[in-house]
Amino acid sequence: MRTAIHRFKYHSIRLLAGPLGQLMSRYLLDNRLPVDVFVPVPLHPHRLRERGYNQAALLAQEMGKAMDLPFLEDALLRVRSSVPQVGLSAQERRDNVKGAFHCADGNLVGQRILLVDDVCTTGATLEACTLALKEAGVSAVWGLVLARERSR
């Protein structure tokens, strides 16, 4: 899984979005979560230009197709750039993403969101995204990632 995620995220192998998104969809089918819409964790526009794509958005798009649920790529925006989270402590990660996200979609009020990302280490990014979504009036936020960092 680690190799697949690294190739997908850092080596532009976008074709992995299909099988990885299907894997996440299979999990969701087996573990029904009451969600209405898929929202990917956004990249800052500078990072998006550098990478050329948002890996979380590709996963959420694949899941939306497989589950026949809407996928809203621009519902959540990254409004503040941050340094990459790799190598930061848990507190540094929380500080790094604090206030970095904003929900731009007023139509999400009362909706149940599945927040999609590739990896979760401390949960700081998912937490910051959840706060932005809850401030916008969503009723519930679930998170689903491909992998979680192993405890050391």
Side-chain angles (χ1 to χ4, degrees), residues 87-142:
L88 299 180
S89 71
Q91 185 59 51
E92 289 169 331
R93 286 170 183 258
R94 281 190 293 277
D95 293 342
N96 191 39
V97 294
K98 185 176 182 180
F101 301 98
H102 173 71
C103 182
D105 193 334
N107 295 322
L108 291 180
V109 172
Q111 295 289 305
R112 299 167 300 179
I113 306 300
L114 183 71
L115 190 57
V116 178
D117 206 359
D118 56 348
V119 176
C120 176
T121 303
T122 63
T125 300
L126 294 173
E127 184 179 322
C129 289
T130 297
L131 288 173
L133 289 164
K134 293 296 268 181
E135 286 175 2
V138 304
S139 65
V141 180
W142 295 86

Side-chain angles (χ1 to χ4, degrees), residues 1 17-28 63 144 146:
M1 183 58 75
L20 294 173
Q22 290 296 321
L23 182 66
M24 294 175 83
S25 296
R26 177 88 261 155
Y27 176 85
L28 194 57
M63 292 176 66
L144 185 62
L146 276 169

Side-chain angles (χ1 to χ4, degrees), residues 11-42:
H11 300 286
S12 298
I13 303 180
R14 297 179 202 192
L15 290 174
L16 287 169
L20 294 173
Q22 290 296 321
L23 182 66
M24 294 175 83
S25 296
R26 177 88 261 155
Y27 176 85
L28 194 57
L29 283 169
D30 292 343
N31 300 277
R32 284 286 178 187
L33 297 176
V35 299
D36 301 310
V37 64
F38 296 119
V39 174
V41 170

Side-chain angles (χ1 to χ4, degrees), residues 66-81:
M67 305 292 297
D68 195 30
L69 286 171
F71 144 72
L72 298 176
E73 184 170 7
D74 297 323
L76 192 60
L77 303 174
R78 191 168 202 134
V79 294
R80 185 175 58 73
S81 184

